[in-house]
Every structure is written in C-alpha cells, then in structure tokens.
C-alpha cells in the first residue's frame, strides 16, 4: 500500500518533535465568560440559538410544505387491458404529467361536455 503511510520503510515518514510536551494531564485554558462569547458571536453575525418564546398570536401559522388535501382521498386499484392502461398513462404524460386522478377527472369533464 505505497503512498498511504503503511510502508515498512519509515525513512519517508515525517519526524514530529514531542520534546516540548510534558507527560501527565493537560491543563485547559481559562474559558471566556458566556456573555463575552455571546457578544463576540453576535458581532460576527451568528444568531442566538436559544429557544425564542412564540409570539402571542391566536392564529395558527403552518410551516411551509405540502398543503393538506381539500377532500379525503380514496385508493382505487384497477386493472385492464395493457393497451388501454398504457394509452391512459401516455395521455396523462402528454397533458402535463398529470396525476392519474387528474387525468381521470379531465377525461370525465370532457365526457360531460
């Protein structure tokens, strides 16, 4: 495995000088006060991530995403001749990649006209 540092030849490995380190436990530097850290982070553009109390509002605000369906949904499993099913799928694709229920609704509205 040449080039990944696993060679038997240790002549290529870098020498690290550890003579300045003292054996034993290391000491942690004195930590800055939380107020100082908060002040510095705000100054650098990092927002405060602590929990914010919600605004007193009587209206429920939804987070963005999918809207709930306007009416309940019902699954319908149908099978039919392959030529008919492929033709229906092609119809849905050619009319703007309709969902199958939208394609069925469109065909039903054309039938009523």
């Amino acid at each position: 495995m040449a080039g990944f540092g696993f060679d038997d030849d240790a002549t290529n490995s870098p020498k690290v000088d550890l003579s300045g380190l003292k054996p034993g436990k290391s000491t942690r530097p004195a930590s800055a006060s939380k107020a100082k850290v908060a002040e510095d982070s705000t100054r650098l553009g990092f927002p405060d991530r602590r929990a914010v109390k919600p605004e007193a509002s009587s209206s429920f605000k939804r987070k963005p995403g999918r809207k709930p369906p306007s009416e309940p949904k019902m699954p319908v499993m149908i099978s039919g001749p392959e030529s008919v099913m492929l033709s229906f799928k092609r119809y849905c694709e050619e009319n703007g990649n309709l969902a199958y229920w939208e394609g069925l609704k469109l065909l039903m509205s054309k039938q009523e006209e």
Side-chain angles (χ1 to χ4, degrees):
M1 302 195 84
F4 292 103
F6 299 110
D7 299 354
D8 290 336
D9 182 16
T11 58
N12 293 333
S13 62
K15 302 290 184 207
V16 179
D17 181 22
L18 302 177
S19 62
L21 298 177
K22 296 178 184 176
K25 286 190 168 187
S26 63
T27 57
R28 291 174 50 178
S31 60
S33 70
K34 289 183 180 181
K36 174 73 171 138
V37 171
E39 179 184 315
D40 290 345
S41 62
T42 303
R43 184 176 45 80
L44 293 171
F46 293 97
D48 187 3
R49 296 181 64 185
R50 288 180 284 195
V52 178
K53 293 182 181 178
E55 296 176 14
S57 174
S58 60
S59 65
F60 175 72
K61 294 181 181 179
R62 285 180 34 86
K63 65 180 184 179
R66 299 183 92 186
K67 294 180 181 175
S70 57
E71 58 184 273
K73 292 188 176 187
M74 182 179 121
V76 177
M77 307 297 181
I78 63 169
S79 61
E82 185 175 358
S83 61
V84 174
M85 295 294 120
L86 290 175
S87 178
F88 177 67
K89 289 173 90 175
R90 192 175 327 108
Y91 173 81
C92 291
E93 289 171 5
E94 291 172 355
N95 286 284
N97 284 330
L98 299 172
Y100 294 152
W101 69 268
E102 292 172 317
L104 181 60
K105 184 177 179 181
L106 185 61
L107 287 171
M108 289 170 46
S109 68
K110 288 182 179 180
Q111 179 67 27
E112 292 173 358
E113 292 176 355

